Coordinates of all heavy atoms in Angstrom, one line a residue:
Chain A
D2 N 44.6 52.4 10.7 CA 44.6 53.5 9.9 C 43.3 53.9 9.2 O 43.1 54.8 8.4 CB 45.7 53.3 8.8 CG 45.9 54.5 7.9 OD1 46.4 55.5 8.5 OD2 45.6 54.5 6.7
R4 N 40.4 54.8 10.5 CA 39.5 55.8 11.1 C 40.2 57.1 11.2 O 41.4 57.2 11.5 CB 39.3 55.4 12.6 CG 38.3 54.2 12.8 CD 37.3 54.5 13.8 NE 36.4 53.5 14.0 CZ 35.1 53.6 14.2 NH1 34.6 54.9 14.3 NH2 34.4 52.6 14.4
E9 N 41.1 65.4 12.8 CA 40.8 65.2 11.4 C 39.3 65.3 11.1 O 38.9 66.1 10.2 CB 41.3 63.9 10.9 CG 42.8 63.9 10.8 CD 43.4 62.4 10.4 OE1 42.7 61.5 10.6 OE2 44.4 62.5 9.7
D11 N 37.0 66.6 12.8 CA 36.6 67.9 13.1 C 36.8 68.9 12.1 O 35.9 69.7 11.7 CB 37.3 68.3 14.4 CG 36.6 69.5 15.1 OD1 35.3 69.4 15.4 OD2 37.3 70.5 15.4
W13 N 37.1 68.2 9.0 CA 36.3 67.6 7.8 C 34.9 68.1 8.0 O 34.3 68.8 7.1 CB 36.3 66.1 7.8 CG 35.2 65.5 6.9 CD1 34.3 64.7 7.4 CD2 35.1 65.6 5.4 NE1 33.5 64.3 6.2 CE2 34.0 65.0 5.1 CE3 35.8 66.4 4.5 CZ2 33.5 64.8 3.8 CZ3 35.4 66.3 3.3 CH2 34.2 65.6 2.9
A15 N 33.9 70.8 9.7 CA 33.9 72.2 9.7 C 34.0 72.6 8.2 O 33.2 73.6 7.9 CB 35.1 72.8 10.5
W16 N 34.9 72.0 7.5 CA 34.9 72.2 5.9 C 33.5 71.9 5.3 O 33.1 72.8 4.5 CB 36.0 71.4 5.4 CG 35.9 71.4 3.7 CD1 35.4 70.5 3.1 CD2 36.5 72.4 3.0 NE1 35.4 70.8 1.8 CE2 36.2 72.0 1.6 CE3 37.1 73.7 3.2 CZ2 36.5 72.8 0.5 CZ3 37.4 74.3 2.0 CH2 37.2 74.0 0.7
K17 N 33.0 70.9 5.6 CA 31.8 70.6 4.8 C 30.7 71.5 5.2 O 30.0 72.0 4.3 CB 31.3 69.1 5.3 CG 31.8 68.0 4.5 CD 30.7 66.9 4.1 CE 30.0 66.4 5.4 NZ 29.3 65.2 5.0
A19 N 30.9 74.7 6.1 CA 31.3 76.0 5.5 C 30.9 75.9 4.0 O 30.4 76.8 3.5 CB 32.7 76.4 5.7
S22 N 27.3 75.7 3.4 CA 26.7 77.0 3.9 C 26.7 78.2 3.0 O 25.9 78.9 2.6 CB 27.4 77.3 5.3 OG 26.8 78.4 5.8
V23 N 28.0 78.4 2.5 CA 28.3 79.4 1.5 C 27.5 79.2 0.3 O 26.8 80.1 -0.3 CB 29.9 79.6 1.2 CG1 30.0 80.6 0.1 CG2 30.6 80.1 2.5
D39 N 22.1 79.4 -9.7 CA 23.6 79.5 -9.9 C 24.0 79.0 -11.3 O 24.7 79.9 -12.1 CB 24.3 78.8 -8.9 CG 25.8 79.0 -8.8 OD1 26.1 80.2 -8.5 OD2 26.5 78.2 -9.3
H115 N 24.4 89.4 -7.1 CA 25.5 88.4 -7.1 C 26.6 89.0 -6.3 O 27.2 88.4 -5.4 CB 25.9 88.1 -8.5 CG 27.0 87.1 -8.6 ND1 28.3 87.5 -8.8 CD2 27.1 85.8 -8.3 CE1 29.1 86.4 -8.8 NE2 28.4 85.4 -8.6
R120 N 30.0 89.0 -1.5 CA 30.5 89.8 -0.4 C 30.0 89.4 1.0 O 30.8 89.3 1.9 CB 30.3 91.4 -0.7 CG 31.1 91.9 -1.8 CD 31.4 93.4 -1.6 NE 32.0 93.9 -2.7 CZ 31.4 94.6 -3.8 NH1 30.1 94.7 -3.6 NH2 32.1 94.9 -4.8
H122 N 28.6 86.7 2.1 CA 28.7 85.3 2.6 C 30.1 84.7 2.5 O 30.4 83.8 3.1 CB 27.7 84.4 1.8 CG 26.2 84.7 2.0 ND1 25.7 84.8 3.3 CD2 25.3 85.2 1.1 CE1 24.5 85.2 3.2 NE2 24.2 85.5 1.9
P126 N 32.8 87.6 5.9 CA 33.3 86.9 7.1 C 34.7 86.7 7.1 O 35.2 86.3 8.2 CB 32.5 85.5 6.8 CG 31.3 86.0 5.9 CD 31.8 87.1 5.2
V128 N 37.0 89.0 6.7 CA 37.7 90.2 7.0 C 38.6 90.0 8.3 O 38.1 89.4 9.2 CB 36.8 91.3 7.3 CG1 37.5 92.5 8.0 CG2 36.2 91.9 5.9
F135 N 44.9 82.0 3.0 CA 43.6 81.3 2.7 C 43.6 81.0 1.3 O 43.2 79.8 0.9 CB 42.5 82.3 3.1 CG 41.2 81.6 2.9 CD1 40.8 80.6 3.8 CD2 40.3 82.0 1.9 CE1 39.4 80.0 3.6 CE2 39.2 81.4 1.7 CZ 38.7 80.5 2.5
R136 N 43.9 81.9 0.5 CA 43.8 81.7 -1.0 C 44.7 80.5 -1.4 O 44.5 79.8 -2.2 CB 44.1 83.0 -1.7 CG 44.3 82.8 -3.2 CD 42.9 82.3 -3.8 NE 43.2 81.9 -5.2 CZ 43.2 82.5 -6.3 NH1 42.9 83.8 -6.3 NH2 43.5 82.1 -7.4
A138 N 45.8 78.0 0.5 CA 45.2 76.8 0.9 C 44.1 76.3 0.0 O 44.0 75.1 -0.3 CB 44.7 76.9 2.4
V139 N 43.2 77.2 -0.4 CA 42.1 76.8 -1.1 C 42.6 76.3 -2.5 O 42.0 75.4 -3.1 CB 41.2 78.0 -1.4 CG1 40.3 77.9 -2.7 CG2 40.3 78.3 0.0
R141 N 45.2 74.8 -3.2 CA 45.6 73.4 -3.2 C 44.5 72.2 -3.3 O 44.8 71.1 -3.4 CB 46.4 73.2 -1.9 CG 47.6 74.0 -1.7 CD 48.4 73.4 -0.8 NE 49.6 74.1 -0.4 CZ 50.5 73.6 0.5 NH1 50.4 72.4 1.0 NH2 51.5 74.4 0.8
L142 N 43.3 72.8 -2.8 CA 42.2 71.8 -2.8 C 41.5 71.6 -4.1 O 40.9 70.7 -4.4 CB 41.2 72.4 -1.9 CG 41.7 72.4 -0.3 CD1 40.7 72.9 0.5 CD2 42.1 71.0 0.2
V144 N 40.9 70.6 -7.9 CA 41.3 69.6 -8.5 C 42.4 70.0 -9.7 O 42.1 71.1 -10.3 CB 40.2 68.7 -9.3 CG1 39.5 69.6 -10.4 CG2 40.8 67.5 -9.9
Chain B
D2 N 29.3 100.3 -6.9 CA 29.4 99.2 -5.9 C 28.9 97.8 -6.4 O 28.8 96.8 -5.6 CB 28.7 99.4 -4.6 CG 28.8 98.6 -3.4 OD1 30.2 98.7 -3.0 OD2 28.0 98.0 -3.1
R4 N 29.7 95.7 -8.8 CA 30.5 94.7 -9.6 C 31.7 94.3 -8.5 O 32.2 95.1 -7.8 CB 31.2 95.3 -10.7 CG 30.3 95.6 -11.8 CD 30.9 95.0 -13.1 NE 30.1 95.2 -14.3 CZ 30.1 94.3 -15.2 NH1 30.8 93.2 -15.1 NH2 29.4 94.5 -16.3
E9 N 38.3 90.1 -6.0 CA 37.2 89.5 -5.3 C 36.7 88.4 -6.1 O 36.6 87.3 -5.6 CB 36.2 90.5 -5.0 CG 36.5 91.5 -4.0 CD 35.5 92.6 -3.8 OE1 34.7 93.0 -4.8 OE2 35.2 93.2 -2.7
D11 N 38.1 86.7 -8.3 CA 39.1 85.6 -8.3 C 39.1 84.7 -7.1 O 39.1 83.5 -7.2 CB 40.6 86.2 -8.4 CG 41.6 85.3 -8.9 OD1 41.4 84.7 -10.0 OD2 42.5 85.2 -8.2
W13 N 36.5 84.2 -5.3 CA 35.2 83.6 -5.3 C 35.3 82.4 -6.2 O 34.9 81.3 -5.9 CB 34.2 84.6 -5.8 CG 32.8 84.0 -6.2 CD1 32.3 84.0 -7.5 CD2 32.0 83.3 -5.4 NE1 31.1 83.4 -7.5 CE2 30.7 82.9 -6.3 CE3 31.9 82.9 -4.1 CZ2 29.7 82.2 -5.8 CZ3 30.7 82.2 -3.8 CH2 29.7 81.8 -4.4
A15 N 38.0 80.8 -7.0 CA 39.0 79.8 -6.4 C 38.2 78.9 -5.3 O 38.1 77.7 -5.3 CB 40.1 80.4 -5.9
W16 N 37.4 79.7 -4.6 CA 36.6 79.0 -3.5 C 35.6 78.1 -4.1 O 35.5 76.9 -3.6 CB 35.9 80.1 -2.6 CG 34.8 79.5 -1.7 CD1 33.5 79.4 -2.0 CD2 35.0 78.8 -0.5 NE1 32.8 78.8 -1.0 CE2 33.7 78.4 0.0 CE3 36.2 78.7 0.3 CZ2 33.5 77.7 1.2 CZ3 36.0 77.9 1.6 CH2 34.7 77.5 2.0
K17 N 34.8 78.6 -5.0 CA 33.8 77.5 -5.6 C 34.4 76.4 -6.2 O 34.0 75.3 -6.1 CB 33.0 78.4 -6.7 CG 31.9 79.1 -6.3 CD 30.7 79.0 -7.3 CE 31.0 79.4 -8.7 NZ 29.8 79.6 -9.5
A19 N 37.2 75.0 -5.4 CA 37.7 74.1 -4.3 C 36.7 73.3 -3.7 O 36.8 72.0 -3.5 CB 38.5 74.9 -3.2
S22 N 35.2 70.8 -5.9 CA 36.2 69.7 -6.2 C 36.2 68.7 -5.1 O 36.2 67.5 -5.3 CB 37.6 70.4 -6.4 OG 38.6 69.6 -6.9
V23 N 36.3 69.1 -3.9 CA 36.5 68.4 -2.8 C 35.3 67.5 -2.5 O 35.3 66.3 -2.4 CB 36.9 69.1 -1.4 CG1 36.8 68.2 -0.2 CG2 38.2 69.8 -1.5
D39 N 27.0 60.0 -0.2 CA 27.3 60.8 1.0 C 26.1 60.9 2.0 O 26.3 60.5 3.1 CB 27.7 62.2 0.7 CG 28.2 63.0 1.8 OD1 29.3 62.5 2.3 OD2 27.7 64.0 2.2
H115 N 36.1 56.0 3.4 CA 35.7 57.4 3.8 C 37.0 58.1 4.4 O 37.3 59.1 4.0 CB 34.6 57.3 4.9 CG 34.2 58.7 5.4 ND1 34.5 59.3 6.6 CD2 33.5 59.7 4.7 CE1 34.1 60.4 6.8 NE2 33.4 60.7 5.6
R120 N 41.3 62.1 3.7 CA 42.7 62.4 3.8 C 43.2 62.7 2.5 O 44.0 63.7 2.5 CB 43.4 61.1 4.4 CG 43.2 60.7 5.7 CD 44.5 60.1 6.5 NE 44.1 59.8 8.0 CZ 43.7 58.6 8.2 NH1 43.5 57.7 7.4 NH2 43.4 58.5 9.5
H122 N 41.7 63.9 -0.3 CA 41.3 65.1 -0.9 C 41.1 66.4 0.0 O 41.1 67.5 -0.6 CB 39.8 64.8 -1.5 CG 39.9 63.7 -2.5 ND1 40.7 63.8 -3.7 CD2 39.4 62.4 -2.5 CE1 40.5 62.6 -4.4 NE2 39.7 61.9 -3.7
P126 N 46.2 67.6 0.8 CA 46.7 68.8 0.1 C 46.9 70.0 1.0 O 47.7 70.9 0.6 CB 45.3 69.1 -0.8 CG 44.6 67.7 -0.8 CD 45.0 67.1 0.3
V128 N 48.8 69.7 3.7 CA 50.1 69.6 4.5 C 50.9 70.8 4.2 O 51.1 71.2 3.0 CB 50.7 68.3 4.1 CG1 52.1 68.3 4.5 CG2 50.0 67.2 4.7
F135 N 43.6 78.3 8.9 CA 42.6 77.7 7.9 C 41.3 77.4 8.6 O 40.2 77.7 8.2 CB 43.2 76.5 7.2 CG 42.4 75.9 6.1 CD1 42.1 76.6 5.0 CD2 41.6 74.8 6.4 CE1 41.3 76.1 4.0 CE2 40.8 74.3 5.5 CZ 40.7 74.9 4.3
R136 N 41.5 76.7 9.7 CA 40.3 76.3 10.4 C 39.5 77.4 10.9 O 38.2 77.5 11.0 CB 40.7 75.4 11.6 CG 39.7 75.0 12.6 CD 38.6 74.3 11.9 NE 37.3 74.2 12.7 CZ 37.1 73.3 13.5 NH1 37.9 72.3 13.7 NH2 35.9 73.4 14.3
A138 N 39.4 80.5 9.6 CA 38.8 81.1 8.4 C 37.4 80.3 8.2 O 36.4 80.8 7.9 CB 39.7 81.2 7.2
V139 N 37.7 79.0 8.0 CA 36.5 78.1 7.6 C 35.4 78.3 8.6 O 34.2 78.3 8.2 CB 37.0 76.7 7.4 CG1 35.9 75.7 7.5 CG2 37.8 76.4 6.2
R141 N 34.5 80.7 10.3 CA 33.7 82.1 10.0 C 32.7 82.0 8.9 O 31.8 82.7 8.8 CB 34.7 83.1 9.6 CG 35.6 83.5 10.8 CD 36.1 84.9 10.5 NE 37.3 85.2 11.3 CZ 37.8 86.5 11.4 NH1 37.3 87.4 10.5 NH2 38.7 86.7 12.1
L142 N 33.0 81.0 8.0 CA 32.1 80.9 6.9 C 30.8 80.1 6.9 O 29.8 80.2 6.4 CB 32.8 80.3 5.7 CG 34.0 81.1 5.2 CD1 34.8 80.4 4.0 CD2 33.5 82.5 4.6
A143 N 30.9 79.3 8.2 CA 29.7 78.5 8.5 C 28.6 79.3 9.0 O 28.9 80.3 9.6 CB 30.1 77.5 9.6
V144 N 27.3 78.9 8.5 CA 26.3 79.6 8.8 C 26.1 79.9 10.4 O 26.3 78.8 11.2 CB 25.0 79.1 8.2 CG1 24.8 77.8 9.1 CG2 23.7 80.0 8.4

Side-chain angles (χ1 to χ4, degrees):
Chain A
D2 188 62
R4 285 228 180 217
E9 288 175 328
D11 198 52
W13 168 242
W16 166 264
K17 270 221 306 194
S22 186
V23 172
D39 191 63
H115 180 255
R120 289 210 182 96
H122 299 298
V128 165
F135 181 73
R136 172 60 198 269
V139 159
R141 293 202 192 187
L142 296 174
V144 69
Chain B
D2 189 63
R4 286 230 179 214
E9 288 175 329
D11 198 51
W13 167 243
W16 165 264
K17 269 221 307 193
S22 187
V23 172
D39 191 64
H115 180 255
R120 288 211 183 95
H122 299 299
V128 165
F135 181 73
R136 172 60 197 270
V139 160
R141 293 202 193 187
L142 296 174
V144 69

